[in-house]
Amino acid sequence: MTIKTLRNIEEIRSCVNRWRSKGARTALVPTMGGLHEGHLSLVRHARGVADHVVVSLFVNPTQFNNKADLEKYPRNEESDRSKLADLDVDVLFAPDAEEMYPKGFTTEVTVAGASDILCGKHRPGHFDGVATIVTKLFLQTGADVACFGEKDFQQLSLVRRLVQDLNIPIEIAGVPTVREKDGLAMSSRNVRLSATARKTAPKLNATLVKARNAILEGQKISVVCKTAIASLEEAGFSKVDYLELRAEDDLDELKTLDRPARLLAAAWIGDVRLIDNIIANKVPD
């Protein structure tokens, strides 16, 4: 299937407006490319909740606080397009930086509080860039629903808060994390892992699972998290940014498991930063 590619805002807005005039519902899947099965699961979910699907592809420079990380981010539009070919995507929206951030652009969207914890604490400005670009994409496409992966649970939480606070008429759908057979959460950054690092990487998820089980057994949360961090460092992770128990609804740090919660972690293997999270309140069936 040949996917229609649009490059400017006027075109995508007109396209979605035509669909809406016929009573059709549109789903948006925002991506930065480097597509993998995790992204494709978002597209499949989008196809199930809407009549038309738009996948955006834009490597957003404002959410990279590390220039080297931006330069290393995988870019291959033709490869990404081929992965979408059999998924019934209506439009690939692939603007360039000048279209998204024209000369004189000065506006920034900030979600206070949610931007300053967890990944936000270790990546200053990252979530301001995320909040700004998703706001633009929502307004540019006028989509009825947008699909985000639960792997970046902080991002999902931030986007939900942004939509609620700014009264943006769009539904935010969270889609479960897709994992490799060994438990590693799929990520565009995984291709940068060395062979040795790739063997170590699944221990991030395994450590979260072990920590979750310990919490459910009644062990003290602060001790469990401290022990889990030490375990990751012993396993070969060069640095652990955080491993914490947070409430699902507002990301408050929890000292007791008294409401729906997630265990979230971010850790480095060499120059690759991995994130992951799991539901903390129960062991999956």
Side-chain angles (χ1 to χ4, degrees):
M1 174 184 174
T2 301
I3 301 172
K4 184 176 184 180
T5 302
L6 301 180
R7 307 274 180 191
N8 68 64
I9 297 163
E10 182 180 351
E11 288 177 336
I12 188 63
R13 188 170 284 160
S14 296
C15 179
V16 176
N17 283 341
R18 285 195 301 272
W19 295 336
R20 179 172 290 107
S21 70
K22 298 176 182 178
R25 178 175 165 88
T26 299
L28 169 68
V29 180
T31 84
M32 293 202 300
L35 301 187
H36 51 70
E37 184 57 35
H39 295 109
L40 303 187
S41 74
L42 300 180
V43 177
R44 294 187 189 99
H45 184 89
R47 175 48 64 192
V49 298
D51 304 294
H52 297 284
V53 175
V54 174
V55 174
S56 66
L57 194 165
F58 179 66
V59 181
N60 178 35
T62 66
Q63 68 189 69
F64 286 84
N65 62 312
N66 184 319
K67 186 177 179 181
D69 196 24
L70 172 61
E71 292 173 350
K72 292 176 182 177
Y73 198 87
R75 295 170 174 83
N76 191 328
E77 184 177 314
E78 287 307 310
S79 174
D80 291 337
R81 194 195 315 278
S82 68
K83 292 173 183 176
L84 297 170
D86 297 326
L87 296 182
D88 205 16
V89 172
D90 295 274
V91 169
L92 180 67
F93 178 44
D96 60 20
E98 290 183 2
E99 182 72 9
M100 297 302 277
Y101 297 110
K103 185 178 180 180
F105 185 93
T106 60
T107 300
E108 185 176 77
V109 180
T110 298
V111 181
S115 299
D116 304 325
I117 59 175
L118 302 170
C119 284
K121 180 179 179 180
H122 296 274
R123 302 182 67 187
H126 167 69
F127 283 116
D128 293 341
V130 171
T132 301
I133 196 64
V134 298
T135 300
K136 288 174 69 68
L137 287 168
F138 294 165
L139 297 175
Q140 290 164 359
T141 64
D144 300 285
V145 57
C147 302
F148 290 83
E150 291 185 352
K151 190 199 75 161
D152 193 336
F153 195 81
Q154 183 176 7
Q155 175 179 269
L156 175 60
S157 179
L158 176 140
V159 171
R160 284 173 169 160
R161 169 54 59 184
L162 176 143
V163 165
Q164 178 178 324
D165 287 354
L166 299 184
N167 306 116
I168 300 176
I170 189 169
E171 174 189 339
I172 304 302
V175 181
T177 302
V178 177
R179 300 183 181 278
E180 303 287 358
K181 292 181 179 180
D182 57 10
L184 176 64
M186 291 190 177
S187 169
S188 301
R189 288 182 169 85
N190 290 352
V191 299
R192 291 169 47 196
L193 294 169
S194 68
T196 299
R198 178 61 185 82
K199 293 179 180 179
T200 301
K203 294 180 181 178
L204 180 59
N205 177 250
T207 300
L208 284 173
V209 170
K210 185 176 180 179
R212 187 259 315 282
N213 294 343
I215 291 171
L216 291 176
E217 290 170 0
Q219 295 185 36
K220 189 175 181 180
I221 291 169
S222 60
V223 174
V224 169
C225 291
K226 184 177 180 180
T227 300
I229 290 172
S231 177
L232 288 173
E233 292 171 343
E234 291 172 6
F237 286 83
S238 51
K239 180 183 178 183
V240 180
D241 283 349
Y242 62 82
L243 192 154
E244 299 176 9
L245 182 71
R246 295 271 177 169
E248 280 204 348
D249 56 356
D250 57 12
L251 294 182
D252 277 354
E253 188 168 9
L254 300 180
K255 294 183 179 180
T256 58
L257 189 59
D258 55 4
R259 52 179 163 145
R262 296 259 172 169
L263 268 170
L264 304 102
W268 294 80
I269 303 181
D271 66 347
V272 181
R273 185 176 188 270
L274 301 178
I275 62 172
D276 202 351
N277 72 88
I278 62 171
I279 295 172
N281 303 78
K282 63 178 182 178
V283 176
D285 296 332

